[in-house]
Amino acid sequence: MPMNELETFLASWDREAASTVKLLAALPPTQYDFRPDPGGRSLGELAWHLAEGDAYMSYGIERGQFTMDAKPPNIERPRKVEALAPGYERIHREAVERIRKLTPEDLDRTIPFFTGPMTIRD
């Protein structure tokens, strides 16, 4: 059965999400607050940023706009390493549900990304 571009993307995204879940599940439980760079994000914050990417991008696509005040549902960051993998799985499922509503024709839409229209440079 041939897949369209959207189905191909969703299948690939799910494979990558499964790898991300394995990575998050393997993080040391006592290292949530470890900061590779003292001025940067902690291990827990860095890990959760992966979920934020799925959530914010899919939410903006679903809404047809990206704005700084738009916050996806259920995006609160877990505060323990053990909660990162299941939290990511939940966020990813919600993101997939949003994207699954799209049609192949939706892939031709242009959506302004926060600061204005898309700029294409040579």
Side-chain angles (χ1 to χ4, degrees):
M1 175 177 180
M3 295 192 334
N4 64 39
E5 239 179 334
L6 188 56
E7 292 166 338
T8 300
F9 168 75
L10 289 169
S12 177
W13 193 22
D14 276 341
R15 280 191 306 276
E16 293 301 322
S19 295
T20 300
V21 169
K22 288 178 188 174
L23 171 87
L24 295 174
L27 294 175
T30 61
Q31 296 299 306
Y32 186 94
D33 292 319
F34 170 72
R35 293 182 189 277
D37 173 12
R41 295 179 187 192
S42 72
L43 181 67
E45 292 165 340
L46 286 168
W48 192 245
H49 191 59
L50 298 170
E52 290 171 332
D54 282 13
Y56 279 94
M57 292 301 110
S58 65
Y59 192 62
I61 291 167
E62 177 185 55
R63 294 175 68 240
Q65 64 179 344
F66 292 90
T67 58
M68 297 303 282
D69 62 338
K71 186 176 180 182
N74 305 314
I75 196 60
E76 294 75 29
R77 179 171 38 92
R79 303 296 185 201
K80 293 186 178 278
V81 168
E82 298 85 358
L84 292 169
Y88 174 83
E89 285 180 300
R90 177 180 42 78
I91 292 295
H92 178 71
R93 280 192 310 270
E94 292 170 0
V96 167
E97 287 174 21
R98 287 190 280 273
I99 299 302
R100 202 172 289 288
K101 294 175 192 173
L102 300 175
T103 66
E105 293 75 29
D106 287 326
L107 300 180
D108 290 329
R109 283 189 303 160
T110 299
I111 302 172
F113 191 71
F114 294 107
T115 59
M118 181 175 64
T119 303
I120 300 173
R121 298 177 191 228
D122 295 324

